[in-house]
Structure formats: structure tokens, C-alpha cells
Amino acid sequence: MEDGYQNKTAFIKGAKDIAKEVKRQAAKKVGRGVDKMTDEYSKRSYARFEEDDDDDYPGVPGGQDSGYYRGDSQAANDDEGGHSDSTEGHDEDNEIYEGEYQGIPRADSSKAADSLAGGDGQQFRDMAQFEGERRKDQEELAQQYETILQECGHGKFQWTLYFVLGLALMADGVEIFVVGFVLPSAEKDMCLSEESKGMLGLIVYLGMMVGAFVWGGLADRIGRRQSLLICLSINSVFSFFSSFVQGYSTFLFCRLLSGVGIGGSIPIVFSYYSEFLAQEKRGEHLSWLCMFWMIGGIYASAMAWAIIPHYGWSFQMGSAYQFHSWRVFVLVCAFPSVAAIASLTTMPESPRFFLENGKHDEGWMILKQVHDTNMRAKGHPEKVFSVTTIKTVKQMDELVDMGGDISTLRRYKLKLTSLFQQVRSNFLAIFNPEYRRTTFMMMAVWFTMSFSYYGLTVWFPDMIKYIQKQEYASRTKFFTKERVEHVTFNFTLENQVHRQGQYFNDKFINLKMKSMVFEDSLFEECYFEDITSSRSFFRNCTFISTLFYNTDLFQNRIINSKLVNSTFLHNKEGCLLDFTDDNNAYMIYFVSFLGTLAVLPGNIVSALLMDKIGRLRMLAGSSVISCVSCFFLSFGSTESGMIALLCLFGGISIASWNALDVLTVELYPSDKRTTAFGFLNALCKLAAVLGISIFQSFVGITKAVPILFAAGALAAGSFLALKLPETRGQVLQ
């Protein structure tokens, strides 16, 4: 009995030692001591053993850990009987753990937490030391990672990922063109005013601005692949909904959220792909990836050309629900995004992201997959991945383990709050002294490039439309004081102006009125039936004993006119599509198709020369040539001349965009790469909105102001670009 009592006493003492060891390890990790959570935990561990009496005491279980907490020092405890060297000789009542306990960090953060032990004054010095160690780890990882990519080679895996990410980039290119192509039809279908029409044209850029900033920041915290999947899914869902909704406000909302989704694709895609590319391949293959944005524009132009003018594709359910051909086009434009989602599910996360976040095994497995895939494709399946250990970056837990006493909702709320704080601190980090000058210089270059490029590329089609309108107006026929009696009009009336005319007992049956204007005219005992009109109006006219049957000549078409004993029966309700611009629509789609195709030579040249002449020379040189080409715009007075200048400008400027994308990827470290890229891309969309708004206001007024604005912005951008550091030949930070 005495032996059993002594065994139990020794066991209880061992349990108390273990509880103290838990407190010591927790205090060591956090550096601020322990609080009542650990006190209560040690009391529960002690009480659990004290409740056992002499009769049912089971003895010390060999290797069983259910009766007490096993911390990071479990192996040491097993070897040393529950003691560590640091606690031997201390009295049980020695209060060396006083302080405020802040939670037990995860095991992977123990080294980082160890370095933060000490008082408040020491904590700041230790934090600086921790940041220095973390930066050193990142530099070592960058060098080792480059060596590993060299061993993995460039082959089947990178080309597969190239096409998968290309689909995501293609979806972004499509999104830029969607609203511009559907606007001529949507504005008639939804009865849009000029103000509403302008908002619909800009809403996608506003959505993409928000999306680039949000998804760029999240991709550095939750991963490139996961963020890209989420943003593409949002784009797909709301693109699908936007093709079916009937109201203008709901369509506007869906296009806004669709833009928010796709806005993250460019920052994530370039960062994601760059982390699988070796140094000598990075500039070239990132430039090849840019071609998918061009393919997206070609796809959108071709689909618009093939679908929108074919109004026979539409159907309607009464007057409440109409699904016209432009809605089919919107639906088809969601296909690249859906295809990108399906393809991306087969690809892994960036191994660089895992290694930057301390996940060694996950990163190593992906790099081995890259190596084995490429070696098998090259006919060398016997080659073994020789890397066994990869440097990981020190981590410090920012999500505190709150234990099991809080609700799930509260836990998720704390995690979201912490995630927001992490994203915010990551964003502020790109304005630290180390990156401040680079960030401000990049902001200026991105802004000037986007302001001039998007402003001019939207101004070009508007100028072509204006030239077409002027040419059309020059062919207008004018009729004054004509008198027409007992005549039946059953053919198309187009591009005519009738003033002070008199029409007696005339019939207008089953015809289309295109750009017809009747001013100060008299219609007496006339009959209008099955009339479809576009840009046709009756101003200051008088209708006496006139019948309108199944026409759209009501309210919107008859302005400041007098109706005497006249009747409207079975009016065509709602706004109807404009059937008059079929040829012009084909021309606009064709112009966009040519303008997008014209960037192909620039893409090829930039891809072949990016790693040979450097990013800065490519960026500055292309910007200077684009600036010079702007002055040729003053000679574009015909439709064909404007198309040629559009192709020239697009083909030259694409090289500077490719260089800017590569430079942005390489100037920032991996843990801040998509955050910085997303912010700069958001600024790009803001500049696009300003450029489009300013340039459009000068259509038909003057060419000088847009030309000077664009040339000045490009000149400033090319000058500032030369002040940036060259990144050719450097390892990926």
C-alpha cells in the first residue's frame, strides 16, 4: 500500500511538472507569460490525476497522452522524464511565468515566437531582428528556388499551365469588349438615356478596379490558385445572370460584380505563372502569355460579328421577357472564364507561395511534380528529383488560437478580421522606405500608360462612328412644302428630312423609318400600320383624324405635336432594337477585330527581345514610338485612315504593356507581389475611366486635345520608366 502511495505521489508530481512545462513552453513562444487559460488547463490536468484513488489507479500509462497536453517539447519530455534542462532546480512555487498570456501559437511558428520573448522594449528589437531573419530567409529561398527551377526544367508542365492561365487572361480581354459591343443594342432594348449609356460603358472598369485591388491582396494571403478560382467563379456567375436579367439596374449590378470578379485575373495570372519560370525564360514566356489577352479581344469581336446582328436568334415571352441576340453574345462571352475554372482545378498551387508561408512539404511535392512531368515528357523518366530540403521563411502566427470556448461564428469573425489586417499590412508594406520610390514610380508609369492607351482605343471607334455619321448626314435628302395625297408608302424611308409638308389620306403600311424627320408638317386622315422606326421623329406636327395601329410612333417619336381626333391602337410597347445599323455594326466589330489582331507583331517582337534588350529599354522605347505615332492621328480624316492608325498604335504600344507586366512581377517580393500588382492594376483601371471620359468629350470637337494628352502622358511615362531598376537577369525575389 505504501509503495502504491509513493508511486501515485511520484506520478502526481510528474503531472505537475508536465503542467509547468506547458506553461514554460507557452510563455517562451509568446514572450508575454501565461494567463488564466493555462492555469485552468494545468489545474484540470492535475485534478484529473488527483481524482484517481488507490483502488482504481491504473499506474503510469506507457506512451499514453490523453491525460495531459503534449506540446512541442513532447520528445524532450519523453526522454527526460517530463523535465527540461531549463526547469531543473527550480522550486515549484517559483513564479517565473507571470504576465499576460496571448494564446498558444501553432507549432510552425515556435521559432518566430521564441525570438519575441522579453519585455515591451525588447519586443521591438526582437521584431526587427525577426524581420531581418525573415528577409535573409527570403533571399536564401530565392537563390535556392532558382536552382531548383533550373533542375525542374521548362517543358510540358509550364506549357500546360500556360494554356490554363491563358484562358483566365483571355476572359479578362473578353470582359473589356463585352459592354462596348452590346451597348448599341442594349441601349435600345432597355430604353437607356445618354447618362445611363455612359454609366454602362464605364461600370466594368470600376468593377475591375475594385477586383484587382481585393483579389491581388488576398492572393498573397490565401494563395494564387484559390484566389483565381474564386474571382473567375464570380465572373462566370454574374456574366451568366447578366445575360438574362431584364432591368437596366440589375444588368448594371451584374456587370459590376462580373468586373469585380475578373479584375483579379491579370495580377494573379502573371504572378502565378512567373513562379514556375526560371530566370532565363521568365521575360519571354510572360510576354507569350500576354497574347491571350489579344486572343480574348479577337474572340469577342468574332462572336459579336457572328451573333449580335442576327436578330432572328432572339425570342420573347410576351412583352415582359425578351432575350435578344446581344444577350446570347453576353452568354457566349462567359465561356472562357468557365473553361479556365475547369482547367485550373487540375493545376497545383504555386510552390513559391507554400515555401514563403512555411509549408515545406507542400512546396516540395509540387516542385517534384513539375520535375517528374517535364522529365517524362522529355523521355528521361529515370531522373530523380535530387532536392530533399528547401529553405522556408520564418512565420509568425497572426491568428491566435482561442481554444474551444468560443463559438464557430466568433472564430470565423476573428479569422476574417485577422485576414483583413494582414492584407492591409501587406498593402502598407509596399510603401515602406524599401519599396516606396519604386511604388510611386510604377504608379506614375501605370497611370500614364493606361490613361493614354484606353483613352485612345475608345476614342478611335468613337471617331470612326463620328466620321460615319458625318458621311451619312452628307447624303441626307431634304424636302420642303411638299403635298402628298392618296399615296401608299410600303417601302423603307431612310435619311430624309421633310419640312412644312402636307399629307392627305396617305397610308404608311409595313415599313421601316430610318433617320426620318418630319417638322412642321400636317397629317390629315392618314393611316399608320406596322411601323418600326429608328432615329425618326415628328416635331411640331399636327395629326387630324389619323389612326396609328401597331406602331412605335408614340411618346418618344412624336414631339411637341398636336393630335386632333387621332387614335393609337396596339402600340408596340417598350423600346425596340435598332435594326438600322447592321452595316455599321459589322464595321465596328471588324475594326475592333483588326485593331486587336494588329498587336500580334508587337507581341512576337516583345517576347523575342524581352530577355535580350531588357525590360526598361522595351518599355521606354515602345512608349516613345507610341508617343510619336500619336501625332499621325491628325492626318486621319477618313474612315480607312483612322483604322490604319488604330492598328499602328495598338501594334506599337503592346510591347510596352508586356514589359510593364514583367517588370511589375519582378520588382516586388513573392509575399507582396500580387498585392502590389493588384494595386497598380486598380490604378490602371481608374486611369482608364478618366481617359475614356475625357477623350470622349472631345469627339467631333477637336483632335488636338486628345492627341496632346496622349502624347504627353506617354512621354512622361517613358521618361519615368528609365528611372526604374532593371530586373533582367535577376532571380525572382
Side-chain angles (χ1 to χ4, degrees):
M1 182 68 178
E2 183 177 353
D3 294 337
Y5 179 80
Q6 291 176 351
N7 290 336
K8 182 177 180 179
T9 302
F11 185 76
I12 292 173
K13 185 177 184 303
K16 294 172 67 176
D17 289 337
I18 292 172
K20 290 187 67 177
E21 179 66 7
V22 172
K23 297 174 77 176
R24 189 191 69 80
Q25 290 292 331
K28 185 178 179 182
K29 289 180 180 179
V30 180
R32 299 292 301 277
V34 295
D35 65 355
K36 61 181 181 180
M37 291 178 61
T38 304
D39 291 333
E40 292 173 0
Y41 190 88
S42 61
K43 289 177 183 178
R44 289 198 297 269
S45 300
Y46 179 80
R48 180 166 186 170
F49 292 99
E50 232 178 8
E51 289 173 359
D52 294 324
D53 55 24
D54 295 337
D55 297 331
D56 57 7
Y57 175 63
V60 181
Q64 185 176 350
D65 64 345
S66 60
Y68 53 89
Y69 178 85
R70 295 174 69 107
D72 295 333
S73 60
Q74 185 59 46
N77 292 340
D78 291 341
D79 295 337
E80 301 173 16
H83 289 274
S84 66
D85 294 338
S86 62
T87 59
E88 286 185 353
H90 282 254
D91 186 79
E92 293 181 6
D93 298 329
N94 188 4
E95 298 295 331
I96 64 173
Y97 307 120
E98 292 181 356
E100 181 184 0
Y101 177 60
Q102 293 182 337
I104 301 176
R106 294 194 295 264
D108 60 355
S109 65
S110 59
K111 294 182 181 180
D114 287 344
S115 67
L116 299 181
D120 291 339
Q122 182 67 26
Q123 185 173 357
F124 291 105
R125 291 192 294 271
D126 289 343
M127 179 64 73
Q129 181 182 358
F130 169 77
E131 290 296 337
E133 293 176 355
R134 179 178 170 84
R135 186 175 294 107
K136 182 179 178 182
D137 288 344
Q138 289 176 325
E139 293 174 356
E140 293 179 9
L141 172 60
Q143 296 293 336
Q144 186 182 10
Y145 192 79
E146 182 64 37
T147 304
I148 295 172
L149 287 180
Q150 297 287 347
E151 180 177 343
C152 292
H154 188 93
K156 180 180 178 181
F157 184 92
Q158 282 85 356
W159 283 112
T160 303
L161 184 63
Y162 169 79
F163 287 105
V164 171
L165 296 180
L167 289 172
L169 199 58
M170 178 179 172
D172 181 273
V174 169
E175 192 74 16
I176 293 292
F177 289 91
V178 168
V179 172
F181 286 154
V182 304
L183 196 56
S185 299
E187 65 175 317
K188 301 297 188 300
D189 198 10
M190 297 181 178
C191 311
L192 300 185
S193 62
E194 287 299 321
E195 294 78 10
S196 299
K197 176 183 174 182
M199 178 56 67
L200 185 58
L202 295 177
I203 196 67
V204 64
Y205 290 99
L206 297 176
M208 294 175 78
M209 178 179 67
V210 174
F213 183 79
V214 171
W215 299 117
L218 286 176
D220 277 331
R221 302 307 308 174
I222 66 176
R224 282 80 161 107
R225 177 179 176 272
Q226 184 175 350
S227 298
L228 187 57
L229 280 172
I230 295 173
C231 70
L232 288 173
S233 299
I234 293 175
N235 172 252
S236 300
V237 169
F238 286 99
S239 292
F240 177 82
F241 286 153
S242 66
S243 66
F244 291 96
V245 296
Q246 294 293 296
Y248 167 71
S249 59
T250 51
F251 180 78
L252 198 68
F253 178 72
C254 287
R255 295 315 304 179
L256 173 66
L257 293 185
S258 176
V260 170
I262 203 62
S265 61
I266 287 182
I268 299 174
V269 161
F270 283 101
S271 300
Y272 190 4
Y273 193 46
S274 69
E275 292 169 0
F276 286 93
L277 296 173
Q279 171 185 317
E280 69 275 6
K281 298 284 187 181
R282 194 182 309 126
E284 176 185 350
H285 286 272
L286 286 177
S287 298
W288 288 127
L289 185 63
C290 294
M291 292 186 66
F292 277 92
W293 198 92
M294 174 202 72
I295 295 173
I298 292 175
Y299 174 83
S301 302
M303 291 299 101
W305 196 350
I307 295 174
I308 294 179
H310 297 279
Y311 300 103
W313 290 27
S314 62
F315 68 88
Q316 59 186 34
M317 301 169 60
S319 60
Y321 189 88
Q322 299 179 354
F323 193 87
H324 294 296
S325 56
W326 67 268
R327 296 181 182 274
V328 178
F329 167 72
V330 173
L331 190 62
V332 169
C333 285
F335 289 171
S337 187
V338 175
I341 294 172
S343 303
L344 193 60
T345 55
T346 65
M347 304 306 297
E349 178 58 84
S350 165
R352 184 66 178 268
F353 171 78
F354 279 141
L355 296 172
E356 290 281 348
N357 287 273
K359 298 181 179 180
H360 174 277
D361 294 345
E362 293 88 339
W364 184 89
M365 289 295 294
I366 295 171
L367 288 170
K368 183 178 184 300
Q369 177 187 349
V370 175
H371 174 274
D372 294 347
T373 301
N374 290 339
M375 292 304 108
R376 284 195 299 268
K378 294 178 180 179
H380 304 292
E382 72 282 356
K383 284 193 175 182
V384 179
F385 187 49
S386 63
V387 178
T388 57
T389 303
I390 309 175
K391 183 70 177 180
T392 55
V393 180
K394 283 185 174 62
Q395 301 296 306
M396 180 174 64
D397 269 339
E398 292 158 323
L399 293 178
V400 179
D401 186 357
M402 299 299 294
D405 297 334
I406 62 174
S407 65
T408 302
L409 180 61
R410 174 66 174 167
R411 191 186 305 276
Y412 281 117
K413 183 178 179 181
L414 289 172
K415 288 184 177 182
L416 287 176
T417 302
S418 180
L419 179 63
F420 170 77
Q421 292 173 349
Q422 293 170 35
V423 172
R424 177 177 177 273
S425 64
N426 217 27
F427 168 69
L428 294 177
I430 67 175
F431 291 96
N432 287 344
E434 183 179 0
Y435 304 107
R436 185 180 300 157
R437 181 179 182 277
T438 297
T439 299
F440 282 123
M441 296 291 287
M442 290 295 289
M443 287 174 61
V445 175
W446 272 90
F447 187 91
T448 54
M449 285 283 299
S450 180
F451 179 82
S452 58
Y453 178 80
Y454 285 101
L456 283 180
T457 52
V458 174
W459 182 71
F460 271 116
D462 286 346
M463 281 299 299
I464 292 174
K465 291 179 183 178
Y466 176 77
I467 293 173
Q468 290 175 339
K469 184 178 179 181
Q470 291 295 103
E471 183 182 356
Y472 186 80
S474 66
R475 300 196 303 267
T476 301
K477 297 180 179 179
F478 293 88
F479 300 88
T480 304
K481 295 182 179 181
E482 62 178 353
R483 181 182 179 90
V484 182
E485 299 182 30
H486 306 288
V487 175
T488 299
F489 297 89
N490 55 4
F491 47 86
T492 298
L493 298 176
E494 181 178 3
N495 199 16
Q496 299 177 7
V497 176
H498 296 260
R499 294 170 179 163
Q500 300 178 3
Q502 296 180 358
Y503 303 90
F504 298 98
N505 199 19
D506 295 321
K507 296 182 180 180
F508 301 82
I509 300 176
N510 193 24
L511 58 83
K512 297 177 182 178
M513 291 185 176
K514 303 179 182 181
S515 299
M516 292 292 297
V517 178
F518 293 88
E519 297 179 347
D520 303 313
S521 298
L522 171 65
F523 295 86
E524 186 172 349
E525 295 184 359
C526 293
Y527 180 70
F528 293 83
E529 180 180 354
D530 292 331
I531 306 297
T532 301
S533 62
S534 64
R535 299 196 304 273
S536 298
F537 304 95
F538 296 82
R539 295 193 182 96
N540 302 320
C541 295
T542 301
F543 296 89
I544 301 175
S545 301
T546 298
L547 176 63
F548 297 86
Y549 182 84
N550 192 31
T551 71
D552 61 359
L553 303 177
F554 185 66
Q555 294 180 341
N556 295 332
R557 309 298 187 188
I558 301 178
I559 303 171
N560 296 329
S561 297
K562 184 177 182 181
L563 298 171
V564 179
N565 197 26
S566 298
T567 306
F568 293 85
L569 298 176
H570 299 286
N571 294 317
K572 294 182 178 180
E573 298 180 359
C575 298
L576 303 176
L577 286 175
D578 191 346
F579 296 92
T580 65
D581 294 329
D582 290 0
N583 293 330
N584 289 339
Y586 278 119
M587 178 57 67
I588 294 300
Y589 306 146
F590 180 66
V591 169
S592 299
F593 179 84
L594 287 180
T596 309
L597 190 62
V599 307
L600 179 60
N603 253 317
I604 295 174
V605 171
S606 64
L608 296 177
L609 298 181
M610 189 69 70
D611 289 320
K612 293 182 174 60
I613 68 174
R615 288 74 162 126
L616 295 187
R617 290 181 180 178
M618 179 69 69
L619 174 57
S622 176
S623 298
V624 169
I625 299 175
S626 299
C627 174
V628 174
S629 69
C630 287
F631 291 99
F632 288 99
L633 297 176
S634 58
F635 301 103
S637 57
T638 63
E639 185 176 315
S640 58
M642 293 299 294
I643 294 174
L645 291 172
L646 171 63
C647 295
L648 176 65
F649 179 77
I652 295 173
S653 60
I654 193 62
S656 56
W657 279 111
N658 292 357
L660 189 59
D661 290 333
V662 176
L663 197 62
T664 305
V665 165
E666 296 177 336
L667 279 175
Y668 292 93
S670 291
D671 60 339
K672 302 174 181 63
R673 181 167 296 126
T674 57
T675 300
F677 207 139
F679 167 67
L680 293 172
N681 201 255
L683 184 67
C684 163
K685 297 304 184 290
L686 176 62
V689 171
L690 294 176
I692 291 171
S693 302
I694 293 174
F695 282 47
Q696 281 184 328
S697 63
F698 291 100
V699 172
I701 299 176
T702 179
K703 291 182 181 179
V705 175
I707 291 172
L708 291 176
F709 276 172
L714 288 170
S718 60
F719 174 76
L720 293 173
L722 292 174
K723 303 295 183 180
L724 291 167
E726 177 60 76
T727 58
R728 180 181 56 157
Q730 297 181 4
V731 297
L732 196 64
Q733 296 184 56

